[in-house]
């Protein structure tokens, strides 16, 4: 009786093991996917104004290799992209603030053009007008 | 001394400069507000529109091409899911098809980048299907915030007659 129960439990355990092995859940699959973590870094860098175009291309190349089953080469490229992304993360704030500074400086310069025209144009025009005619002589008719 | 003597000429120059500078400033300061979207397309085996296969032998594979485009304003991680269905199991703009997933292809794209790649898909009849089936291709995108794949609501399909073969 005990032997029969033991064999039954063993069979049930075996069936469960086969089912679990043949039907991995989506959550397990997502945990194993190494690409979102690296892509999240690249997306953040992109939002901070860092040019990540070539890194995304490299990551896509790694993904293609990964899907073809060339795991070792894919992971090698993935690790390279991850290392580069991590090193760029420390400079992301600096890049972001530099771009903001350049943007607002450009805006201030553009807005100051009418003021410069208002102040400088009549003076510059008068200066060149008098300069171009300073050697003129008045002739008696 | 026309410019200095004529206030109207000077006023026009000043007005034009004001309009131009304000317009330029707005263009510089405005946020990136372009419409965000993705796209999927199904092409024939030469990666062109047209010449799609109409008949396939049950259990064989047919060659096609897929086109995926990212215009989300940031890099995106996509997957195209392939299913075989019929009129009752077609996806909608909100829900994906209930038919079983058969194959998938993943791709990572920069913003404003597209890719076209050849694929080979198996064609077969399920138990409850007639000889005409719909090859369904759904576009899914990975949501970085939630950490899940989300159906984009975009899909394309190709109806094909499946013959039993010799």
């Amino acid at each position: 009786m005990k032997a029969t129960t033991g064999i039954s439990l063993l069979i049930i355990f075996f069936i469960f093991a086969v089912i679990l092995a043949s039907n991995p859940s989506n959550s397990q699959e997502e945990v194993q996917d190494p690409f979102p973590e690296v892509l999240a870094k690249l997306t953040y860098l992109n939002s901070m104004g860092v040019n990540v175009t070539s890194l995304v291309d490299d990551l896509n190349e790694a993904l293609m290799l990964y899907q073809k089953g060339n795991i070792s080469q894919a992971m090698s490229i993935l690790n390279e992209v991850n290392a580069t992304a991590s090193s760029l993360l420390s400079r992301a704030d600096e890049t972001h603030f530099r771009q903001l500074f350049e943007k607002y400086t450009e805006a201030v310069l553009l807005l100051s053009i009418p003021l410069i025209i208002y102040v400088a144009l009549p003076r510059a025009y008068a200066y060149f007008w008098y300069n171009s005619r300073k050697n003129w002589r008045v002739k008696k008719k | 001394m026309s410019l200095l003597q004529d206030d109207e000429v000077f006023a026009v120059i000043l007005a034009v400069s004001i309009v131009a500078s304000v317009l330029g400033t707005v263009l510089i300061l405005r946020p990136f507000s372009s419409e965000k979207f993705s796209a999927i397309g199904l092409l024939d085996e030469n990666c062109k529109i047209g010449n799609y296969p109409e008949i396939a032998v049950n259990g064989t594979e047919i060659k096609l091409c897929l086109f995926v485009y990212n215009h989300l304003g940031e890099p995106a991680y996509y997957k195209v899911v392939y299913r075989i269905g019929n009129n009752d199991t077609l996806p909608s703009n909100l829900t994906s098809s209930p038919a079983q997933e058969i194959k998938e292809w993943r791709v990572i794209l920069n913003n404003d980048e597209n890719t076209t790649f050849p694929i080979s898909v198996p064609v077969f009849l399920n138990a409850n299907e007639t000889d005409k089936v719909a090859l369904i291709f759904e576009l899914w995108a990975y949501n970085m915030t939630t950490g899940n794949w989300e159906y984009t609501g975009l899909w394309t399909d190709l109806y094909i007659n499946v013959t039993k073969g010799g």
Side-chain angles (χ1 to χ4, degrees):
Chain A
M1 183 69 181
K2 280 184 180 175
T4 315
T5 313
I7 290 168
S8 302
L9 283 172
L10 198 64
I11 290 169
I12 291 168
F13 175 77
F14 180 74
I15 290 168
F16 269 110
V18 168
I19 290 169
L20 284 175
S22 61
N23 292 313
S25 67
N26 283 337
S27 60
Q28 279 177 319
E29 185 200 339
E30 300 314 332
V31 170
Q32 287 165 2
D33 188 348
F35 291 92
E37 186 189 341
V38 182
L39 186 62
K41 286 182 187 175
L42 297 183
T43 306
Y44 172 73
L45 287 169
N46 180 67
S47 70
M48 298 298 271
V50 180
N51 186 351
V52 292
T53 306
S54 63
L55 289 174
V56 173
D57 288 340
D58 289 345
L59 192 64
N60 187 44
E61 187 189 338
L63 178 63
M64 294 300 118
L65 290 167
Y66 192 85
Q67 289 182 113
K68 286 175 185 168
N70 198 341
I71 307 295
S72 60
Q73 202 179 345
M75 292 310 288
S76 169
I77 296 172
L78 183 77
N79 290 333
E80 275 179 35
V81 173
N82 192 27
T84 310
S86 298
S87 67
L88 286 172
L89 279 176
S90 57
R91 284 184 286 163
D93 285 337
E94 183 192 328
T95 308
H96 183 60
F97 287 123
R98 193 183 67 236
Q99 284 187 345
L100 277 182
F101 177 75
E102 286 172 0
K103 190 165 124 176
Y104 285 110
T105 304
E106 208 173 338
V108 168
L109 283 174
L110 266 176
L111 284 175
S112 64
I113 285 174
L115 192 66
I116 291 167
I117 287 175
Y118 180 75
V119 174
L121 185 65
R123 286 165 177 77
Y125 188 85
Y127 175 79
F128 287 113
W129 194 91
Y130 284 117
N131 251 9
S132 65
R133 290 164 177 78
K134 67 182 176 184
N135 293 327
W136 284 17
R137 292 172 194 276
V138 178
K139 286 185 180 175
K140 283 185 182 176
K141 282 188 176 179
Chain B
M1 292 287 286
S2 62
L3 177 70
L4 295 179
Q5 286 171 341
D6 193 345
D7 283 345
E8 283 182 9
V9 174
F10 185 59
V12 168
I13 292 171
L14 204 58
V16 169
S17 73
I18 288 171
V19 171
S21 72
V22 169
L23 200 65
T25 307
V26 169
L27 287 174
I28 287 172
L29 294 182
R30 71 174 183 155
F32 178 80
S33 58
S34 171
E35 187 187 357
K36 295 178 177 180
F37 64 90
S38 305
I40 180 174
L42 187 65
L43 306 165
D44 66 15
E45 65 176 320
N46 299 315
C47 293
K48 292 182 175 164
I49 295 174
N51 290 328
Y52 296 101
E54 292 173 358
I55 301 171
V57 178
N58 190 22
T60 58
E61 296 211 337
I62 60 168
K63 290 178 180 173
L64 295 164
C65 269
L66 277 174
F67 167 86
V68 179
Y69 176 56
N70 171 24
H71 195 79
L72 295 176
E74 60 182 17
Y77 189 14
Y78 291 107
K79 73 172 176 181
V80 178
V81 174
Y82 169 61
R83 309 173 198 272
I84 296 178
N86 51 42
N87 279 337
D88 300 326
T89 57
L90 287 178
S92 71
N93 293 341
L94 299 172
T95 57
S96 64
S97 166
Q100 190 186 355
E101 177 181 333
I102 296 165
K103 219 169 177 181
E104 68 171 45
W105 303 268
R106 298 186 181 196
V107 65
I108 296 171
L109 293 175
N110 278 298
N111 177 46
D112 209 22
E113 189 180 41
N114 68 71
T115 183
T116 305
F117 52 94
I119 56 168
S120 181
V121 293
V123 180
F124 53 83
L125 289 171
N126 289 320
N128 56 343
E129 281 166 347
T130 58
D131 57 348
K132 194 167 191 178
V133 294
L135 312 185
I136 302 164
F137 299 88
E138 296 170 347
L139 184 65
W140 292 61
Y142 192 85
N143 187 326
M144 292 292 170
T145 312
T146 62
N148 289 316
W149 285 104
E150 288 178 357
Y151 175 52
T152 60
L154 301 168
W155 58 283
T156 181
D157 67 334
L158 175 69
Y159 276 93
I160 197 160
N161 285 313
V162 183
T163 59
K164 300 288 181 192

